[in-house]
Amino acid sequence: MSGFEKIEGLDRENVAHTYGRFSVAIKEGKGAVCYDFDGKRYIDFSSGIGVNSLGFCDEGWVSAVTAQLNKLQHISNLYYTEPCAKAAELLCKKSGMKKVFFSNSGAESNEGAIKCARKYSFTKYGENRNKVITLINSFHGRTVTTLAATGQDVFHKYFFPFTEGFEFAPANDYDALYSMVDDSTCAVMMELIQGEGGVMPLDKAFVKKVEALCKEKDIILIIDEVQTGVGRTGKLFAYQNYDITPDIVTTAKGIGGGLPLGCVLFGEKTEDTFAPGDHATTFGGNPVATAGAAHILERLDEDFLNEVKAKGKYITKKLLKMPGVVGVDGMGLMLGVRLSDGIVATDIVKKTISYGALTLTAKTKLRLLPPLTISYEEIDEGLEAIRKALEE
Ligand SMILES: Cc1ncc(COP(=O)(O)O)c(C=O)c1O
């Protein structure tokens, strides 16, 4: 029995079948390269779905995390810790947001954001102002409330009753969104590039108008940066590409660099909305995860972020010359490749695995979320696997 067969058998028998996995078990990795149990090499264009910002086992990140692990792995939020305070300071300084609540995942961050928006509105306007408008084709998570917030019918089954108070507006249709706003609206929540929805960037004009409307009506603007945050689009946060000031920003994935960590960032309006006892989580702000986050944030300077943009452009240019590629959407290193009719994205992912690259899908597109530190040589090697898969 091969190493893979043994793992696959154990997993099939003992792990709940909630994931459709590809037939690969990854043993180890460094940077943007990883190996399976037969020693086969893969270029990673997935970064664990946008998580491994600095790639596999980045030396600086590993040092920051292990140094903290050797000092203090956890102490409850009843006490202060240095890494938590430091990561929060860096997040506020670099984003202009005012306060941070640390959670453990994207869905949990969005739950915190929704709770905060509702409390803000309750305190100022009373209990009937609680509606949250999100966008059709959005994705905000898998908890009962974030499924309710997700604007895709396919997620609204089995788990009834869902949390009330969500309505869905079509993306990039300001008039439609405007017509849904009424006295009961407390928040608008949206991704600036719908990730799971197919790497669909929102129009800047639409986003700016929604921001202005929210300001005018004292509606909390929540930007879900779970996938777009932490350098992915070539800015620390995607909202900085859109020139807006959200009231709440959520993030997760890339901030943890491989450890579970999420954040809710509060702006001027919302920084004092939560009082002690309103919101909490046992693992939130864990010193090991936040020591890693502080290291990532320190690395993401202007030069680093400009490189992310340059690599995104380089990949896009090369992809557009490949057979079967109709277009490339996205920003920085968050790319969705539109494929010709008849090409099934999942088939391409399977083929790229056989040619030595890990890629993703987003709806009908091939999705690339490489580690932000990927080198040009690694990009070329991974793109070669994609080219072969498309030519097959
Ligand atoms: C935009 C967005 N929001 C929320 C989530 C949920 O994050 P998590 O899986 O960490 O709960 C995701 C995950 O893909 C996401 O892309």
Side-chain angles (χ1 to χ4, degrees):
M1 199 187 279
S2 72
F4 170 72
E5 283 165 350
K6 201 170 159 197
I7 294 164
E8 194 272 337
L10 280 174
D11 189 293
R12 184 166 18 85
E13 273 182 36
N14 302 291
V15 178
H17 298 176
T18 65
Y19 302 105
R21 302 195 204 275
F22 294 103
S23 298
V24 185
I26 299 299
K27 186 179 176 196
E28 59 197 349
K30 187 81 189 154
V33 178
C34 60
Y35 298 89
D36 68 15
F37 281 76
D38 297 322
K40 182 171 171 180
R41 173 186 162 97
Y42 302 88
I43 297 295
D44 183 24
F45 276 160
S46 70
S47 64
I49 320 189
V51 168
N52 299 332
S53 331
L54 305 180
F56 298 110
C57 305
D58 172 84
E59 260 171 46
W61 180 79
V62 170
S63 300
V65 165
T66 50
Q68 183 56 41
L69 198 50
N70 280 309
K71 275 195 256 174
L72 180 84
Q73 85 276 28
H74 175 79
I75 184 78
S76 79
N77 278 308
L78 297 173
Y79 308 99
Y80 298 93
T81 73
E82 192 183 11
C84 171
K86 209 173 139 192
E89 183 199 22
L90 283 163
L91 275 164
C92 290
K93 254 195 189 153
K94 285 173 170 259
S95 68
M97 300 298 283
K98 301 294 173 201
K99 297 271 191 308
V100 184
F101 174 86
F102 287 109
S103 69
N104 309 286
S105 70
E108 216 191 302
S109 301
N110 287 335
E111 289 266 350
I114 293 161
K115 279 177 71 177
C116 178
R118 284 186 168 168
K119 186 176 177 207
Y120 174 89
S121 198
F122 175 89
T123 309
K124 268 181 104 168
Y125 304 100
E127 64 184 280
N128 294 321
R129 197 175 181 272
N130 51 38
K131 180 167 88 180
V132 180
I133 298 176
T134 70
L135 299 184
I136 292 171
N137 196 43
S138 56
F139 183 79
H140 296 296
R142 298 278 189 164
T143 61
V144 171
T145 295
T146 55
L147 280 177
T150 290
Q152 300 187 54
D153 289 344
V154 66
F155 291 107
H156 299 155
K157 36 184 202 184
Y158 313 133
F159 312 118
F160 298 96
F162 288 101
T163 308
E164 290 173 20
F166 292 93
E167 283 184 17
F168 313 112
N172 296 324
D173 186 342
Y174 176 75
D175 293 342
L177 186 142
Y178 180 82
S179 71
M180 289 166 65
V181 169
D182 57 25
D183 291 346
S184 73
T185 309
C186 76
V188 171
M189 174 156 113
M190 55 198 191
E191 303 152 85
L192 295 171
I193 304 175
Q194 296 185 328
E196 300 306 305
V199 192
M200 310 283 275
L202 296 187
D203 296 343
K204 193 167 177 185
F206 168 77
V207 173
K208 292 287 285 178
K209 275 178 155 178
V210 172
E211 182 202 30
L213 177 68
C214 288
K215 279 217 169 83
E216 181 200 323
K217 300 204 177 282
D218 198 16
I219 290 168
I220 297 299
L221 178 60
I222 305 170
I223 301 297
D224 177 344
E225 298 242 18
V226 170
Q227 196 161 146
T228 53
V230 196
R232 181 56 53 192
T233 67
K235 294 270 187 191
L236 183 62
F237 288 105
Y239 75 79
Q240 294 164 324
N241 293 306
Y242 282 80
D243 200 16
I244 58 166
T245 308
D247 299 305
I248 302 179
V249 176
T250 59
T251 199
K253 290 185 183 282
I255 190 69
L259 291 173
L261 183 66
C263 313
V264 191
L265 284 83
F266 304 109
E268 256 163 35
K269 264 190 194 177
T270 54
E271 64 173 315
D272 295 320
T273 300
F274 279 147
D278 282 340
H279 199 50
T281 174
T282 300
F283 288 120
N286 169 275
V288 178
T290 48
H295 176 80
I296 293 170
L297 290 164
E298 272 165 357
R299 289 270 288 277
L300 265 57
D301 60 17
E302 203 61 30
D303 289 346
F304 185 107
L305 294 170
N306 285 337
E307 268 297 291
V308 169
K309 279 186 225 156
K311 287 177 204 168
K313 283 194 184 130
Y314 179 81
I315 295 175
T316 302
K317 209 169 149 192
K318 287 200 131 189
L319 281 168
L320 287 171
K321 290 188 187 140
M322 290 190 194
V325 173
V326 174
V328 180
D329 301 313
M331 277 180 212
L333 288 172
M334 177 171 183
L335 300 170
V337 186
R338 270 179 276 134
L339 301 167
S340 306
D341 283 352
I343 302 182
V344 178
T346 321
D347 292 344
I348 300 301
V349 172
K350 286 182 191 152
K351 287 178 190 169
T352 60
I353 290 173
S354 73
Y355 289 119
L358 303 180
T359 55
L360 300 161
T361 63
K363 292 277 166 80
T364 58
K365 292 178 190 168
L366 183 70
R367 177 172 39 155
L368 306 184
L369 297 172
L372 308 179
T373 48
I374 192 168
S375 70
Y376 284 93
E377 293 73 32
E378 289 160 344
I379 288 173
D380 286 344
E381 191 181 332
L383 287 177
E384 194 49 26
I386 294 176
R387 193 185 54 76
K388 284 184 189 155
L390 288 166
E391 276 174 358
E392 205 180 276

